[in-house]
Amino acid sequence: MEAIEELAVQPCTSSLYLRPFRLSYRQNGMKKFWDFMRTHDSVSILIFNTSRQCFVVVKQFRPAVYMCEIERHHPQVFENQDKESFPSLENPLPAVVGVTYELCAGIVDKPGLSLEEIACEEVLEECGYRVSIADLRRITSYRSGVGVTGSRQTLFYAEVNDQMRTSGGGGQPEEGELIEVVEIPLGESMKFAYDETFPKTMGVIFSFMWFHNNIAPKLPKK
């Protein structure tokens, strides 16, 4: 996962996932504009393994996170961004600075499938557990990246056990996915959520808090 090499930054003139726009408008009599990106909506799933009393999350390299760290250490990389060429990354940072812990998730890009069906596919592909729509509990939906994308993510909860695991997960290599499945013990989950040495998404923190408020009190006492 962390064997990253031959880094090169270049302008993005077209993309299957991002479309940049500028909105011009008038608000309270003042003329304004705002630049934004249109992206796909998404689903995410908080997975709890009841056999081992742990959360199942994923870990993967995120180029956007990595480049934020690159810019923090080498701000010249994004200077003169209107040019066609960027400075070469002669001394790149270790890839681990771009690795994050996340909930199992996926974009909504299959018109024929419901959000629940997409969520079930993602759980199987990324984490190796076969769940049905009946196994899902919808927690809520919310807007992410409100200043840039405004896309909607719908969060589900699924309980699994060891018997439901049919593969090692890891995503779809043919689509370039390289995902590591990670188990976070229930007793260590809140410490993990607030430990900044483990880069993670807000979805992980929020869903762990939701679990401790709504599910944990109902678990059998040991």
Side-chain angles (χ1 to χ4, degrees):
M1 179 183 296
E2 297 173 11
I4 305 297
E5 54 190 358
E6 298 183 13
L7 291 129
V9 181
Q10 57 193 25
C12 179
T13 56
S14 64
S15 171
L16 295 174
Y17 307 104
L18 305 172
R19 290 177 292 152
F21 295 95
R22 173 169 291 182
L23 177 69
S24 298
Y25 61 102
R26 188 178 296 276
Q27 184 178 30
N28 289 351
M30 180 181 293
K31 190 67 175 176
K32 298 182 178 181
F33 70 88
W34 194 266
D35 298 334
F36 67 97
M37 290 276 191
R38 281 299 299 123
T39 64
H40 291 287
D41 289 339
S42 59
V43 297
S44 60
I45 310 95
L46 172 63
I47 305 171
F48 183 67
N49 185 313
T50 58
S51 298
R52 290 195 298 284
Q53 296 288 289
C54 66
F55 295 106
V56 181
V57 300
V58 297
K59 177 182 174 184
Q60 56 188 316
F61 175 78
R62 290 298 194 180
V65 174
Y66 181 78
M67 292 311 298
C68 283
E69 289 299 309
I70 286 284
E71 184 178 23
R72 189 162 67 89
H73 289 82
H74 306 288
Q76 72 277 8
V77 168
F78 290 107
E79 292 176 357
N80 302 319
Q81 60 210 40
D82 292 332
K83 294 183 177 181
E84 292 186 1
S85 62
F86 288 77
S88 60
L89 303 179
E90 296 179 357
N91 297 301
L93 299 174
V96 67
V97 303
V99 174
T100 60
Y101 294 83
E102 311 167 16
L103 297 179
C104 172
I107 60 175
V108 177
D109 62 347
K110 299 172 182 174
L113 298 183
S114 67
L115 296 180
E116 289 79 6
E117 289 171 323
I118 293 174
C120 290
E121 283 192 353
E122 295 298 333
V123 172
L124 180 60
E125 292 173 4
E126 293 192 359
C127 300
Y129 292 92
R130 187 174 299 280
V131 300
S132 67
I133 292 177
D135 296 319
L136 296 176
R137 171 177 172 179
R138 182 177 175 134
I139 298 177
T140 189
S141 66
Y142 45 83
R143 297 289 179 175
S144 59
V146 293
V148 180
T149 68
S151 59
R152 181 190 296 274
Q153 183 165 93
T154 302
L155 173 62
F156 295 96
Y157 170 64
E159 290 186 356
V160 299
N161 55 51
D162 289 344
Q163 287 68 44
M164 296 167 67
R165 193 167 196 186
T166 60
S167 74
Q172 296 183 300
E174 65 273 15
E175 296 183 3
E177 291 184 326
L178 182 58
I179 296 171
E180 179 180 339
V181 181
V182 180
E183 295 182 345
I184 309 296
L186 175 59
E188 301 174 14
S189 57
M190 292 314 297
K191 179 181 178 181
F192 172 84
Y194 289 104
D195 188 340
E196 294 183 8
T197 63
F198 296 101
K200 66 189 72 66
T201 62
M202 178 54 70
V204 172
I205 300 173
F206 169 75
S207 61
F208 281 13
M209 292 176 64
W210 175 86
F211 182 95
H212 280 273
N213 288 333
N214 295 275
I215 304 298
K218 303 173 185 177
L219 294 176
K221 303 296 182 181
K222 292 186 177 181

Short mmCIF file of all heavy atoms in Angstrom, two decimals, residues 66-119:
data_model
loop_
_atom_site.label_atom_id
_atom_site.label_comp_id
_atom_site.label_asym_id
_atom_site.label_seq_id
_atom_site.Cartn_x
_atom_site.Cartn_y
_atom_site.Cartn_z
N TYR A 66 -2.42 13.04 0.90
CA TYR A 66 -0.96 13.04 0.71
C TYR A 66 -0.49 14.38 0.16
O TYR A 66 0.50 14.95 0.64
CB TYR A 66 -0.58 11.91 -0.25
CG TYR A 66 0.90 11.81 -0.51
CD1 TYR A 66 1.75 11.22 0.42
CD2 TYR A 66 1.46 12.30 -1.69
CE1 TYR A 66 3.12 11.12 0.19
CE2 TYR A 66 2.81 12.21 -1.93
CZ TYR A 66 3.65 11.62 -0.99
OH TYR A 66 4.99 11.53 -1.23
N MET A 67 -1.21 14.92 -0.83
CA MET A 67 -0.78 16.18 -1.43
C MET A 67 -0.97 17.36 -0.50
O MET A 67 -0.25 18.37 -0.59
CB MET A 67 -1.50 16.40 -2.75
CG MET A 67 -1.10 15.42 -3.84
SD MET A 67 0.71 15.26 -4.06
CE MET A 67 1.16 16.93 -4.54
N CYS A 68 -1.93 17.28 0.42
CA CYS A 68 -2.05 18.33 1.45
C CYS A 68 -0.80 18.35 2.32
O CYS A 68 -0.29 19.43 2.68
CB CYS A 68 -3.28 18.08 2.31
SG CYS A 68 -4.83 18.56 1.54
N GLU A 69 -0.29 17.18 2.65
CA GLU A 69 0.93 17.11 3.45
C GLU A 69 2.15 17.56 2.63
O GLU A 69 3.04 18.24 3.15
CB GLU A 69 1.14 15.67 3.95
CG GLU A 69 0.16 15.25 5.02
CD GLU A 69 0.26 16.13 6.26
OE1 GLU A 69 1.37 16.32 6.78
OE2 GLU A 69 -0.79 16.66 6.67
N ILE A 70 2.14 17.22 1.34
CA ILE A 70 3.22 17.67 0.46
C ILE A 70 3.25 19.20 0.43
O ILE A 70 4.31 19.83 0.56
CB ILE A 70 3.04 17.12 -0.97
CG1 ILE A 70 3.39 15.62 -1.02
CG2 ILE A 70 3.87 17.91 -1.96
CD1 ILE A 70 4.87 15.32 -1.00
N GLU A 71 2.09 19.82 0.25
CA GLU A 71 2.03 21.28 0.17
C GLU A 71 2.45 21.94 1.48
O GLU A 71 3.07 22.99 1.49
CB GLU A 71 0.63 21.74 -0.22
CG GLU A 71 0.54 23.25 -0.43
CD GLU A 71 -0.82 23.71 -0.87
OE1 GLU A 71 -1.81 22.98 -0.61
OE2 GLU A 71 -0.92 24.79 -1.47
N ARG A 72 2.11 21.29 2.59
CA ARG A 72 2.47 21.84 3.89
C ARG A 72 3.99 21.89 4.05
O ARG A 72 4.53 22.83 4.65
CB ARG A 72 1.84 21.00 5.01
CG ARG A 72 1.97 21.60 6.40
CD ARG A 72 0.96 20.97 7.34
NE ARG A 72 1.23 19.58 7.58
CZ ARG A 72 2.03 19.13 8.56
NH1 ARG A 72 2.64 20.00 9.37
NH2 ARG A 72 2.22 17.84 8.76
N HIS A 73 4.67 20.88 3.52
CA HIS A 73 6.12 20.82 3.64
C HIS A 73 6.82 21.47 2.45
O HIS A 73 7.94 21.96 2.58
CB HIS A 73 6.59 19.36 3.75
CG HIS A 73 6.24 18.72 5.06
ND1 HIS A 73 5.00 18.18 5.31
CD2 HIS A 73 6.97 18.55 6.19
CE1 HIS A 73 4.98 17.68 6.54
NE2 HIS A 73 6.16 17.90 7.09
N HIS A 74 6.18 21.45 1.28
CA HIS A 74 6.79 22.00 0.07
C HIS A 74 5.76 22.88 -0.65
O HIS A 74 5.19 22.48 -1.68
CB HIS A 74 7.25 20.87 -0.87
CG HIS A 74 8.16 19.88 -0.22
ND1 HIS A 74 9.48 20.17 0.10
CD2 HIS A 74 7.96 18.60 0.17
CE1 HIS A 74 10.04 19.11 0.66
NE2 HIS A 74 9.13 18.13 0.72
N PRO A 75 5.47 24.08 -0.11
CA PRO A 75 4.42 24.93 -0.68
C PRO A 75 4.66 25.33 -2.13
O PRO A 75 3.71 25.69 -2.84
CB PRO A 75 4.43 26.16 0.24
CG PRO A 75 5.76 26.13 0.93
CD PRO A 75 6.12 24.69 1.05
N GLN A 76 5.88 25.23 -2.61
CA GLN A 76 6.17 25.63 -3.98
C GLN A 76 5.56 24.69 -5.01
O GLN A 76 5.45 25.04 -6.20
CB GLN A 76 7.69 25.72 -4.20
CG GLN A 76 8.41 24.38 -4.27
CD GLN A 76 8.75 23.79 -2.91
OE1 GLN A 76 8.32 24.32 -1.88
NE2 GLN A 76 9.53 22.71 -2.90
N VAL A 77 5.12 23.51 -4.58
CA VAL A 77 4.58 22.53 -5.53
C VAL A 77 3.38 23.08 -6.28
O VAL A 77 3.21 22.83 -7.48
CB VAL A 77 4.20 21.22 -4.79
CG1 VAL A 77 3.38 20.31 -5.69
CG2 VAL A 77 5.45 20.50 -4.34
N PHE A 78 2.51 23.84 -5.62
CA PHE A 78 1.30 24.33 -6.25
C PHE A 78 1.40 25.80 -6.68
O PHE A 78 0.39 26.42 -7.00
CB PHE A 78 0.10 24.13 -5.33
CG PHE A 78 -0.28 22.69 -5.17
CD1 PHE A 78 -0.03 22.01 -3.99
CD2 PHE A 78 -0.89 22.00 -6.21
CE1 PHE A 78 -0.38 20.67 -3.85
CE2 PHE A 78 -1.24 20.67 -6.07
CZ PHE A 78 -0.98 19.99 -4.90
N GLU A 79 2.59 26.36 -6.64
CA GLU A 79 2.77 27.71 -7.14
C GLU A 79 2.67 27.71 -8.66
O GLU A 79 2.97 26.71 -9.32
CB GLU A 79 4.13 28.26 -6.70
CG GLU A 79 4.22 28.50 -5.19
CD GLU A 79 5.61 28.97 -4.76
OE1 GLU A 79 6.50 29.05 -5.63
OE2 GLU A 79 5.79 29.24 -3.55
N ASN A 80 2.24 28.84 -9.22
CA ASN A 80 2.09 28.95 -10.67
C ASN A 80 1.21 27.85 -11.23
O ASN A 80 1.54 27.20 -12.22
CB ASN A 80 3.47 28.91 -11.36
CG ASN A 80 4.39 30.01 -10.87
OD1 ASN A 80 3.95 31.15 -10.68
ND2 ASN A 80 5.65 29.66 -10.64
N GLN A 81 0.06 27.64 -10.59
CA GLN A 81 -0.79 26.52 -10.96
C GLN A 81 -1.46 26.68 -12.32
O GLN A 81 -2.05 25.74 -12.84
CB GLN A 81 -1.87 26.32 -9.89
CG GLN A 81 -2.77 27.53 -9.69
CD GLN A 81 -3.26 27.60 -8.25
OE1 GLN A 81 -2.52 27.33 -7.32
NE2 GLN A 81 -4.51 27.96 -8.08
N ASP A 82 -1.37 27.88 -12.92
CA ASP A 82 -1.96 28.06 -14.24
C ASP A 82 -1.05 27.51 -15.35
O ASP A 82 -1.46 27.39 -16.50
CB ASP A 82 -2.23 29.54 -14.50
CG ASP A 82 -3.34 30.08 -13.59
OD1 ASP A 82 -4.21 29.27 -13.20
OD2 ASP A 82 -3.32 31.27 -13.27
N LYS A 83 0.18 27.21 -14.99
CA LYS A 83 1.09 26.65 -15.97
C LYS A 83 0.78 25.17 -16.21
O LYS A 83 0.14 24.51 -15.39
CB LYS A 83 2.55 26.80 -15.51
CG LYS A 83 3.01 28.26 -15.43
CD LYS A 83 4.47 28.33 -15.04
CE LYS A 83 4.95 29.78 -15.03
NZ LYS A 83 6.40 29.88 -14.66
N GLU A 84 1.23 24.67 -17.33
CA GLU A 84 0.96 23.27 -17.65
C GLU A 84 1.87 22.30 -16.90
O GLU A 84 1.58 21.13 -16.79
CB GLU A 84 1.10 23.04 -19.16
CG GLU A 84 0.01 23.75 -19.98
CD GLU A 84 0.10 23.39 -21.45
OE1 GLU A 84 0.99 22.59 -21.79
OE2 GLU A 84 -0.72 23.91 -22.23
N SER A 85 3.00 22.80 -16.41
CA SER A 85 3.93 21.93 -15.70
C SER A 85 4.09 22.39 -14.27
O SER A 85 4.01 23.58 -13.97
CB SER A 85 5.30 21.92 -16.39
OG SER A 85 5.86 23.22 -16.39
N PHE A 86 4.29 21.44 -13.38
CA PHE A 86 4.48 21.71 -11.97
C PHE A 86 5.90 21.27 -11.58
O PHE A 86 6.50 20.44 -12.26
CB PHE A 86 3.46 20.93 -11.13
CG PHE A 86 2.06 21.46 -11.23
CD1 PHE A 86 1.29 21.20 -12.35
CD2 PHE A 86 1.51 22.21 -10.21
CE1 PHE A 86 -0.01 21.68 -12.45
CE2 PHE A 86 0.21 22.69 -10.29
CZ PHE A 86 -0.54 22.42 -11.42
N PRO A 87 6.41 21.80 -10.46
CA PRO A 87 7.73 21.35 -10.02
C PRO A 87 7.72 19.84 -9.76
O PRO A 87 6.71 19.29 -9.29
CB PRO A 87 7.96 22.13 -8.72
CG PRO A 87 7.03 23.31 -8.81
CD PRO A 87 5.85 22.84 -9.58
N SER A 88 8.79 19.17 -10.09
CA SER A 88 8.87 17.73 -9.83
C SER A 88 9.06 17.49 -8.33
O SER A 88 9.61 18.33 -7.62
CB SER A 88 10.05 17.11 -10.60
OG SER A 88 11.27 17.72 -10.20
N LEU A 89 8.58 16.36 -7.88
CA LEU A 89 8.68 16.01 -6.47
C LEU A 89 9.95 15.20 -6.26
O LEU A 89 9.95 13.98 -6.31
CB LEU A 89 7.44 15.23 -6.02
CG LEU A 89 6.09 15.93 -6.25
CD1 LEU A 89 4.96 15.03 -5.80
CD2 LEU A 89 6.04 17.25 -5.52
N GLU A 90 11.04 15.92 -6.05
CA GLU A 90 12.33 15.24 -5.94
C GLU A 90 12.52 14.54 -4.60
O GLU A 90 13.18 13.52 -4.52
CB GLU A 90 13.46 16.26 -6.16
CG GLU A 90 13.45 16.86 -7.56
CD GLU A 90 14.55 17.88 -7.75
OE1 GLU A 90 15.28 18.14 -6.77
OE2 GLU A 90 14.69 18.42 -8.86
N ASN A 91 11.92 15.10 -3.55
CA ASN A 91 12.05 14.50 -2.22
C ASN A 91 10.66 14.29 -1.63
O ASN A 91 10.26 14.99 -0.70
CB ASN A 91 12.89 15.39 -1.30
CG ASN A 91 14.31 15.55 -1.80
OD1 ASN A 91 15.02 14.57 -1.95
ND2 ASN A 91 14.71 16.78 -2.07
N PRO A 92 9.88 13.37 -2.19
CA PRO A 92 8.52 13.16 -1.69
C PRO A 92 8.50 12.64 -0.26
O PRO A 92 9.46 12.01 0.20
CB PRO A 92 7.94 12.13 -2.66
CG PRO A 92 9.14 11.40 -3.19
CD PRO A 92 10.23 12.42 -3.26
N LEU A 93 7.41 12.91 0.42
CA LEU A 93 7.22 12.40 1.77
C LEU A 93 6.89 10.92 1.71
O LEU A 93 6.43 10.41 0.68
CB LEU A 93 6.09 13.16 2.46
CG LEU A 93 6.27 14.66 2.64
CD1 LEU A 93 5.00 15.28 3.21
CD2 LEU A 93 7.44 14.95 3.57
N PRO A 94 7.10 10.19 2.82
CA PRO A 94 6.69 8.77 2.83
C PRO A 94 5.19 8.65 2.61
O PRO A 94 4.41 9.50 3.06
CB PRO A 94 7.11 8.30 4.23
CG PRO A 94 7.27 9.54 5.03
CD PRO A 94 7.71 10.61 4.09
N ALA A 95 4.79 7.63 1.92
CA ALA A 95 3.38 7.46 1.55
C ALA A 95 2.46 7.35 2.76
O ALA A 95 1.27 7.64 2.66
CB ALA A 95 3.22 6.23 0.66
N VAL A 96 3.01 6.96 3.91
CA VAL A 96 2.17 6.76 5.09
C VAL A 96 1.45 8.04 5.50
O VAL A 96 0.37 7.97 6.12
CB VAL A 96 3.03 6.21 6.27
CG1 VAL A 96 4.03 7.26 6.75
CG2 VAL A 96 2.15 5.74 7.41
N VAL A 97 1.96 9.21 5.15
CA VAL A 97 1.29 10.45 5.53
C VAL A 97 -0.02 10.63 4.77
O VAL A 97 -0.85 11.48 5.13
CB VAL A 97 2.19 11.69 5.33
CG1 VAL A 97 3.49 11.55 6.11
CG2 VAL A 97 2.47 11.95 3.86
N GLY A 98 -0.23 9.83 3.72
CA GLY A 98 -1.47 9.91 2.97
C GLY A 98 -2.42 8.76 3.22
O GLY A 98 -3.43 8.63 2.54
N VAL A 99 -2.10 7.91 4.20
CA VAL A 99 -2.95 6.76 4.52
C VAL A 99 -3.94 7.15 5.61
O VAL A 99 -3.57 7.71 6.64
CB VAL A 99 -2.10 5.57 4.98
CG1 VAL A 99 -2.97 4.42 5.46
CG2 VAL A 99 -1.20 5.10 3.83
N THR A 100 -5.22 6.87 5.37
CA THR A 100 -6.27 7.24 6.34
C THR A 100 -7.13 6.03 6.70
O THR A 100 -7.23 5.06 5.94
CB THR A 100 -7.18 8.34 5.77
OG1 THR A 100 -7.81 7.86 4.56
CG2 THR A 100 -6.39 9.60 5.46
N TYR A 101 -7.75 6.12 7.88
CA TYR A 101 -8.71 5.12 8.35
C TYR A 101 -10.11 5.67 8.07
O TYR A 101 -10.41 6.82 8.38
CB TYR A 101 -8.54 4.87 9.84
CG TYR A 101 -7.23 4.22 10.21
CD1 TYR A 101 -6.07 4.99 10.36
CD2 TYR A 101 -7.14 2.85 10.39
CE1 TYR A 101 -4.86 4.40 10.70
CE2 TYR A 101 -5.92 2.25 10.73
CZ TYR A 101 -4.79 3.03 10.88
OH TYR A 101 -3.60 2.44 11.20
N GLU A 102 -10.96 4.83 7.48
CA GLU A 102 -12.27 5.28 7.04
C GLU A 102 -13.32 4.19 7.27
O GLU A 102 -12.98 3.02 7.44
CB GLU A 102 -12.24 5.63 5.55
CG GLU A 102 -11.09 6.53 5.14
CD GLU A 102 -10.92 6.60 3.64
OE1 GLU A 102 -11.85 6.20 2.91
OE2 GLU A 102 -9.85 7.05 3.18
N LEU A 103 -14.56 4.59 7.20
CA LEU A 103 -15.64 3.62 7.14
C LEU A 103 -15.65 2.99 5.76
O LEU A 103 -15.23 3.60 4.77
CB LEU A 103 -16.99 4.29 7.40
CG LEU A 103 -17.22 4.94 8.76
CD1 LEU A 103 -18.61 5.57 8.80
CD2 LEU A 103 -17.07 3.93 9.89
N CYS A 104 -16.14 1.79 5.67
CA CYS A 104 -16.43 1.19 4.37
C CYS A 104 -17.38 2.12 3.64
O CYS A 104 -18.38 2.58 4.22
CB CYS A 104 -17.07 -0.18 4.59
SG CYS A 104 -17.69 -0.96 3.08
N ALA A 105 -17.10 2.44 2.39
CA ALA A 105 -17.92 3.44 1.69
C ALA A 105 -17.79 3.27 0.18
O ALA A 105 -16.90 2.56 -0.31
CB ALA A 105 -17.50 4.84 2.10
N GLY A 106 -18.66 3.94 -0.55
CA GLY A 106 -18.60 3.90 -2.00
C GLY A 106 -19.48 4.97 -2.60
O GLY A 106 -20.41 5.46 -1.95
N ILE A 107 -19.18 5.35 -3.84
CA ILE A 107 -19.97 6.38 -4.49
C ILE A 107 -21.26 5.81 -5.06
O ILE A 107 -21.36 4.60 -5.35
CB ILE A 107 -19.17 7.08 -5.61
CG1 ILE A 107 -18.73 6.08 -6.68
CG2 ILE A 107 -17.97 7.82 -5.01
CD1 ILE A 107 -18.04 6.73 -7.87
N VAL A 108 -22.24 6.66 -5.22
CA VAL A 108 -23.53 6.27 -5.79
C VAL A 108 -23.47 6.57 -7.29
O VAL A 108 -23.70 7.70 -7.73
CB VAL A 108 -24.68 7.05 -5.12
CG1 VAL A 108 -26.03 6.69 -5.76
CG2 VAL A 108 -24.71 6.78 -3.63
N ASP A 109 -23.10 5.56 -8.05
CA ASP A 109 -22.95 5.76 -9.49
C ASP A 109 -23.62 4.65 -10.30
O ASP A 109 -23.29 4.46 -11.47
CB ASP A 109 -21.46 5.84 -9.84
CG ASP A 109 -20.69 4.57 -9.51
OD1 ASP A 109 -21.24 3.71 -8.79
OD2 ASP A 109 -19.54 4.43 -9.97
N LYS A 110 -24.56 3.93 -9.67
CA LYS A 110 -25.27 2.86 -10.36
C LYS A 110 -26.76 3.15 -10.27
O LYS A 110 -27.42 2.80 -9.28
CB LYS A 110 -24.94 1.51 -9.73
CG LYS A 110 -23.45 1.16 -9.80
CD LYS A 110 -23.12 -0.08 -9.01
CE LYS A 110 -21.62 -0.37 -9.06
NZ LYS A 110 -21.24 -1.50 -8.20
N PRO A 111 -27.34 3.82 -11.29
CA PRO A 111 -28.74 4.26 -11.25
C PRO A 111 -29.74 3.15 -10.97
O PRO A 111 -30.81 3.40 -10.41
CB PRO A 111 -28.95 4.86 -12.65
CG PRO A 111 -27.59 5.23 -13.12
CD PRO A 111 -26.67 4.20 -12.55
N GLY A 112 -29.42 1.92 -11.34
CA GLY A 112 -30.37 0.83 -11.15
C GLY A 112 -30.41 0.26 -9.75
O GLY A 112 -31.25 -0.60 -9.46
N LEU A 113 -29.50 0.70 -8.87
CA LEU A 113 -29.41 0.14 -7.53
C LEU A 113 -29.83 1.17 -6.47
O LEU A 113 -29.56 2.36 -6.61
CB LEU A 113 -27.99 -0.33 -7.22
CG LEU A 113 -27.41 -1.44 -8.11
CD1 LEU A 113 -26.02 -1.82 -7.62
CD2 LEU A 113 -28.32 -2.66 -8.11
N SER A 114 -30.46 0.67 -5.41
CA SER A 114 -30.81 1.54 -4.29
C SER A 114 -29.57 1.81 -3.45
O SER A 114 -28.53 1.14 -3.60
CB SER A 114 -31.87 0.87 -3.42
OG SER A 114 -31.33 -0.29 -2.78
N LEU A 115 -29.68 2.78 -2.56
CA LEU A 115 -28.56 3.08 -1.66
C LEU A 115 -28.20 1.85 -0.84
O LEU A 115 -27.02 1.56 -0.60
CB LEU A 115 -28.91 4.24 -0.73
CG LEU A 115 -29.15 5.60 -1.39
CD1 LEU A 115 -29.49 6.64 -0.33
CD2 LEU A 115 -27.93 6.04 -2.20
N GLU A 116 -29.21 1.12 -0.41
CA GLU A 116 -28.98 -0.08 0.40
C GLU A 116 -28.26 -1.16 -0.39
O GLU A 116 -27.35 -1.84 0.13
CB GLU A 116 -30.32 -0.63 0.92
CG GLU A 116 -30.98 0.23 1.99
CD GLU A 116 -31.71 1.45 1.43
OE1 GLU A 116 -31.79 1.58 0.19
OE2 GLU A 116 -32.18 2.27 2.23
N GLU A 117 -28.63 -1.32 -1.65
CA GLU A 117 -27.97 -2.33 -2.48
C GLU A 117 -26.50 -1.96 -2.73
O GLU A 117 -25.62 -2.82 -2.70
CB GLU A 117 -28.72 -2.48 -3.81
CG GLU A 117 -30.07 -3.16 -3.66
CD GLU A 117 -30.89 -3.11 -4.94
OE1 GLU A 117 -30.84 -2.08 -5.64
OE2 GLU A 117 -31.59 -4.10 -5.24
N ILE A 118 -26.25 -0.69 -2.95
CA ILE A 118 -24.87 -0.24 -3.13
C ILE A 118 -24.07 -0.46 -1.86
O ILE A 118 -22.92 -0.91 -1.89
CB ILE A 118 -24.84 1.24 -3.55
CG1 ILE A 118 -25.44 1.42 -4.95
CG2 ILE A 118 -23.41 1.79 -3.51
CD1 ILE A 118 -25.58 2.85 -5.39
N ALA A 119 -24.68 -0.18 -0.70
CA ALA A 119 -24.00 -0.39 0.58
C ALA A 119 -23.63 -1.85 0.77
O ALA A 119 -22.52 -2.18 1.20
CB ALA A 119 -24.88 0.11 1.73
#
